Amino acid sequence: MKQTKITYILITILLFSQAFFCKKTEKPLEEKEEIIESYKVSDKTWDGDEKTIPEVMQKDNPIANPQATKGGSFRLYGHQYPKSLNYYLEQYSTTARIFTSLFETLTINHPITLENIPHLAKAWKISKDKKKFTFEIDQNAKWSDDKPITADDVLFTFKTIMDPKNNTPVFRIGLSRFEEPKKIDEFTVEFTAKKIHWDNFNTIATGLMILPKHYYEGKDFNKENFEFPVVSGAYKLVDVKQNRYIRLGRRGDYWQRAYPFAKGRNNFDEVIYKFYNEEGIAFQSFVKGDIDFFPVYRAATWIDQAKGEKFDKNLILKQRIFNQKPIGFQGWAMNMRREIFKDKKVRKALAYLVNRKLMIEKLAFNQYSPTNSYYPDYYLGNETNPNEEIDFNVEKAKELFKEAGYIQNAKGILEKDGKEFSFTILDRDKSTEKYFTVFMEDAKKVGVKANIETTDLAGFSKRIDEFDFDLAWTAWGSGVFKDPEGMWYSKYADQKMQQNITGFKNKKVDELIEKQKSEFSKSKRDMIVKEIDKIIYAEHPYILLWHLDNTRLLYWNKFSTPEIPLGRYGTEDFATDYWWFDKTKSENLSKAIKENLTLNPEITEFKIPPDAFKSEEPKQEIKKEKQSPKKETKKKKKVKK
């Protein structure tokens, strides 16, 4: 699984305790200014043959609630407006979430075991030497214009990504391990790997979002950013208003709508991502009722702002969800291509000047744990982290600067060879300025000169992709199966638009990355990644900050959730897939608002029982599906949703 830039996000992505980017203030938008009328779904009866549904997909999804109902809107905070919705061109979490609602992969991961199960491909074969992978496309799979999804679409997608003219270098890392795929017949395609790699199958099966050849062929792919009229996913793009919102509509003709495994998923008729340049303004809009669902990335929002009558009366629910989601890292990336950051002593000295404990305690309400690994979820249990914890220490910082050849000049600024130690912090969120201010005040005492330059998401992303920065606050997602290549391999340090944004180069790390490529045992591979982590950590390419081991959610009390609210490994994105609009709850909410009533309390903290998945550990080994007969002539039977 690729590491993903988190847009707060993220960001994401995603994915843990932050949301530290943004720009200028904007006026809260009234709902009537944005969405004129609700999107109406026209559900169509599926006229396929039940017997053509792959065996695994004929079973219920163990995470979904089969009683979930379709309908309603789901309005959520989308952070800053993305510069592109094409995930192949822009790897921020909101872009990823939208793009993967529109386009699909050959297989998906089982939500509990993570083993591969059918999706666009109904079956596959793997050669004994694990170099050839043959996929048979599910002939029920159709594009939204009713054209069949074929082997030609798979080949076209591969060629599009591998075309050096396209801004898709992150995805070329994995696909470069393969020869150009071969079309066996209209619905069968074969991939041949040049070398053995533990992630070869997943690179193709779950990492390749298939594009419609008949729509994109002949177009400049780098310009395909906000219009996707032909899709395969459960949602389509309905409405886009720049810097305001992006609206997705559920497809009533989605090709997999009658598959039992899909029941209880993709329940909302419309999913609306609403964008704000500042999280504080977005939160005001949420409390006012213009947003339904608000993942919290700032401690101040969770502790100091998410309170009051609407929370006391359970009109808005406040929940912390603990599950087994992978945890990435956030930190201040130092561009080691810059002369001042080439010396490890300097990078470590700066780390000593970041008072993480003070920042966590005074600015972040003691909500986080200091991060001392680039793979912090390895050390959430009882395992000891071997990495040295870097605590705030001005004297050690001074010593390291001195060892690196820096002395204070007459102005009190560190200087070496006649050049002052000065750099610019690239930022895109006013809410992070308080953290940088604390750092700059402490750094100034030892002669470090720093200033802040603030830009928007598009500008920030462009600068990072082109390595045009000194120091920047970034955050990265993670996966259950760790792959350190993209971020830490030396050969990507000088390739723009790659994830090795610090320019990190280390021969020993390169050797270990090569070693883990052919290791199919997850436990053995994890040991190698831990060795990689120790080496990287000692080089200090980032000033690591802090992380959170749970997901904080705020949402209006009109939705229902599966038994495990975010699944085994899910983040807040899980809600758009598995939650549903509850008509009864919505009516009760409206009544409570109108009559000033208090609703019944809901769970405020959810933890997965320790033995819930005891016998179902993550499976990396690939399950071989039985090949279906290629020509099947069976009487079609109408199946209602």
Side-chain angles (χ1 to χ4, degrees):
M1 295 184 182
K2 295 179 176 63
Q3 284 180 300
T4 307
K5 285 184 284 190
I6 298 190
T7 319
Y8 316 147
I9 128 174
L10 141 175
I11 149 234
T12 156
I13 260 100
L14 326 167
L15 277 190
F16 28 103
S17 63
Q18 55 283 355
F20 302 109
F21 304 130
C22 296
K23 192 187 172 185
K24 56 190 177 183
T25 302
E26 59 183 65
K27 182 181 178 181
L29 301 169
E30 296 293 340
E31 188 64 21
K32 63 183 180 182
E33 294 178 334
E34 298 186 76
I35 309 300
I36 304 302
E37 58 183 25
S38 296
Y39 174 74
K40 303 297 183 184
V41 178
S42 177
D43 287 310
K44 295 184 179 180
T45 301
W46 191 68
D47 61 356
D49 185 346
E50 286 180 291
K51 294 180 180 178
T52 64
I53 298 175
E55 183 180 350
V56 174
M57 307 307 284
Q58 293 181 23
K59 301 175 181 178
D60 289 338
N61 185 324
I63 294 293
N65 187 325
Q67 304 304 315
T69 56
K70 304 290 186 187
S73 297
F74 194 57
R75 302 168 301 170
L76 63 157
Y77 173 37
H79 312 286
Q80 285 192 7
Y81 192 78
K83 74 173 186 179
S84 173
L85 294 183
N86 188 337
Y87 184 58
Y88 281 128
L89 304 177
E90 178 71 2
Q91 292 82 55
Y92 278 92
S93 65
T94 300
T95 293
R97 189 70 198 95
I98 294 173
F99 196 75
T100 53
S101 296
L102 308 177
F103 298 100
E104 301 174 296
T105 54
L106 294 171
T107 75
I108 58 174
N109 294 117
H110 189 279
I112 294 178
T113 66
L114 296 184
E115 64 183 320
N116 296 89
I117 58 177
H119 203 55
L120 289 179
K122 66 178 180 180
W124 53 88
K125 288 182 179 179
I126 303 161
S127 63
K128 289 184 178 179
D129 63 1
K130 296 185 178 180
K131 280 193 171 184
K132 286 187 182 295
F133 308 94
T134 307
F135 295 89
E136 183 184 353
I137 306 295
D138 189 332
Q139 292 183 38
N140 292 320
K142 298 285 194 299
W143 294 108
S144 55
D145 60 2
D146 208 38
K147 295 184 184 297
I149 297 173
T150 68
D152 287 328
D153 295 313
V154 179
L155 267 62
F156 173 78
T157 303
F158 180 92
K159 291 178 182 178
T160 297
I161 294 171
M162 294 304 294
D163 189 336
K165 296 194 301 292
N166 293 330
N167 298 326
T168 54
V170 171
F171 293 88
R172 287 200 285 270
I173 293 175
L175 292 184
S176 65
R177 301 195 296 262
F178 294 89
E179 305 287 352
E180 186 173 306
K182 296 179 181 178
K183 175 182 175 180
I184 305 302
D185 60 37
E186 186 178 5
F187 296 102
T188 309
V189 61
E190 179 185 85
F191 287 82
T192 301
K194 300 172 185 176
K195 294 181 179 181
I196 294 292
H197 192 295
W198 65 268
D199 200 34
N200 274 345
F201 182 83
N202 283 319
T203 295
I204 310 163
T206 62
L208 200 61
M209 291 149 285
I210 307 304
L211 303 169
K213 177 183 178 182
H214 65 281
Y215 176 76
Y216 285 108
E217 191 170 33
K219 297 180 184 294
D220 183 347
F221 191 67
N222 293 323
K223 295 180 179 179
E224 299 298 321
N225 294 304
F226 290 97
E227 294 184 11
F228 306 100
V230 180
V231 300
S232 69
Y235 285 88
K236 63 182 178 181
L237 202 58
V238 172
D239 204 5
V240 175
K241 193 164 186 179
Q242 187 174 4
N243 295 321
R244 294 288 191 87
Y245 66 84
I246 293 170
R247 180 162 60 151
L248 306 183
R250 182 171 63 83
R251 291 179 52 211
D253 60 348
Y254 174 50
W255 68 274
Q256 212 176 68
R257 61 191 179 279
Y259 282 33
F261 198 85
K263 191 172 184 180
R265 287 196 66 204
N266 304 311
N267 303 310
F268 298 108
D269 279 356
E270 58 181 0
V271 176
I272 305 167
Y273 294 84
K274 304 189 75 172
F275 299 97
Y276 298 83
N277 281 336
E278 290 189 14
E279 184 173 332
I281 301 298
F283 181 74
Q284 293 173 23
S285 186
F286 165 71
V287 174
K288 190 173 66 174
D290 291 341
I291 299 176
D292 299 317
F293 180 83
F294 196 90
V296 177
Y297 307 109
R298 294 177 59 238
T301 302
W302 184 255
I303 299 297
D304 204 37
Q305 298 173 26
K307 56 187 180 181
E309 185 177 22
K310 292 177 181 178
F311 295 90
D312 296 338
K313 291 181 176 295
N314 302 313
L315 307 181
I316 298 176
L317 299 178
K318 184 177 181 179
Q319 295 180 340
R320 287 200 305 165
I321 311 294
F322 294 81
N323 61 1
Q324 297 173 14
K325 69 172 184 178
I327 298 176
F329 73 90
Q330 62 172 318
W332 298 349
M334 290 172 279
N335 188 349
M336 296 191 290
R337 303 169 191 83
R338 300 284 202 254
E339 188 64 36
I340 61 170
F341 294 128
K342 287 184 176 180
D343 193 329
K344 177 176 69 175
K345 295 185 181 71
V346 168
R347 300 193 298 270
K348 188 174 183 179
L350 289 174
Y352 275 123
L353 292 175
V354 178
N355 197 336
R356 294 189 299 175
K357 291 183 178 179
L358 174 70
M359 292 178 183
I360 292 172
E361 179 182 352
K362 302 298 183 183
L363 303 181
F365 299 85
N366 261 331
Q367 287 286 292
Y368 308 120
S369 300
T371 301
N372 301 305
S373 167
Y374 291 93
Y375 303 91
D377 47 2
Y378 279 145
Y379 306 108
L380 292 181
N382 297 321
E383 186 170 352
T384 302
N385 186 343
N387 296 329
E388 173 193 9
E389 184 171 348
I390 304 297
D391 292 324
F392 179 68
N393 194 314
V394 174
E395 294 307 314
K396 286 186 177 181
K398 288 180 178 179
E399 291 174 11
L400 286 169
F401 278 124
K402 185 176 181 180
E403 291 176 16
Y406 284 93
I407 58 173
Q408 287 188 345
N409 59 23
K411 296 183 292 183
I413 299 173
L414 290 174
E415 186 179 284
K416 181 180 179 180
D417 300 329
K419 295 182 179 180
E420 292 184 339
F421 190 86
S422 174
F423 62 89
T424 298
I425 298 167
L426 181 64
D427 193 21
R428 67 176 187 84
D429 185 354
K430 287 293 184 182
S431 69
T432 62
E433 192 169 308
K434 59 186 179 183
Y435 296 93
F436 286 127
T437 298
V438 171
F439 161 71
M440 290 190 295
E441 287 176 354
D442 289 325
K444 186 178 181 181
K445 296 173 184 176
V446 300
V448 172
K449 184 179 179 181
N451 63 285
I452 300 176
E453 178 185 355
T454 304
T455 183
D456 59 10
L457 174 58
F460 181 90
S461 179
K462 185 175 187 295
R463 295 273 296 274
I464 295 295
D465 284 343
E466 296 179 355
F467 309 143
D468 181 21
F469 71 98
D470 295 335
L471 181 148
W473 190 328
T474 62
W476 300 89
S478 185
V480 176
F481 307 114
K482 318 293 186 188
D483 188 353
E485 182 175 359
M487 182 169 287
W488 303 117
Y489 210 130
S490 297
K491 66 181 178 181
Y492 302 121
D494 299 317
Q495 293 184 23
K496 293 182 178 180
M497 299 186 72
Q498 290 286 10
Q499 294 176 340
N500 190 345
I501 65 171
T502 61
F504 182 86
K505 296 180 180 180
N506 186 286
K507 289 184 179 180
K508 180 60 178 176
V509 168
D510 292 346
E511 291 171 2
L512 289 170
I513 288 174
E514 287 295 332
K515 181 180 178 181
Q516 61 90 39
K517 288 182 179 181
S518 58
E519 181 54 71
F520 281 78
S521 165
K522 180 180 181 300
S523 59
K524 291 180 180 178
R525 203 166 57 247
D526 284 345
M527 293 301 295
I528 297 173
V529 175
K530 288 176 184 176
E531 287 299 312
I532 291 172
D533 180 52
K534 285 194 290 186
I535 296 171
I536 297 169
Y537 186 86
E539 292 294 320
H540 302 282
Y542 286 78
I543 299 171
L544 292 178
L545 299 175
W546 41 77
H547 61 272
L548 189 68
D549 65 351
N550 61 83
T551 303
R552 299 174 297 202
L553 301 178
L554 303 175
Y555 59 95
W556 284 87
N557 193 356
K558 55 182 176 179
F559 304 106
S560 285
T561 75
E563 183 178 354
I564 303 175
L566 295 183
R568 185 176 186 180
Y569 301 107
T571 65
E572 60 270 23
D573 294 336
F574 182 93
T576 59
D577 276 355
Y578 287 91
W579 289 23
W580 68 95
F581 176 79
D582 190 315
K583 187 177 180 180
T584 300
K585 284 188 174 183
S586 180
E587 290 173 350
N588 291 339
L589 174 62
S590 296
K591 182 179 179 181
I593 293 172
K594 184 177 180 180
E595 301 179 13
N596 196 26
L597 303 176
T598 298
L599 296 174
N600 292 330
E602 298 274 348
I603 185 172
T604 58
E605 189 171 286
F606 177 87
K607 292 185 179 181
I608 294 177
D611 58 347
F613 306 113
K614 192 172 183 180
S615 61
E616 299 186 87
E617 290 306 307
K619 294 182 177 67
Q620 179 68 33
E621 194 56 46
I622 303 149
K623 182 179 179 181
K624 300 181 183 180
E625 292 294 318
K626 293 180 180 178
Q627 190 80 6
S628 305
K630 288 194 177 177
K631 292 184 180 179
E632 236 176 2
T633 55
K634 299 189 179 186
K635 186 177 180 181
K636 291 185 177 181
K637 177 182 177 183
K638 286 190 177 181
V639 180
K640 291 187 177 180
K641 288 182 61 183

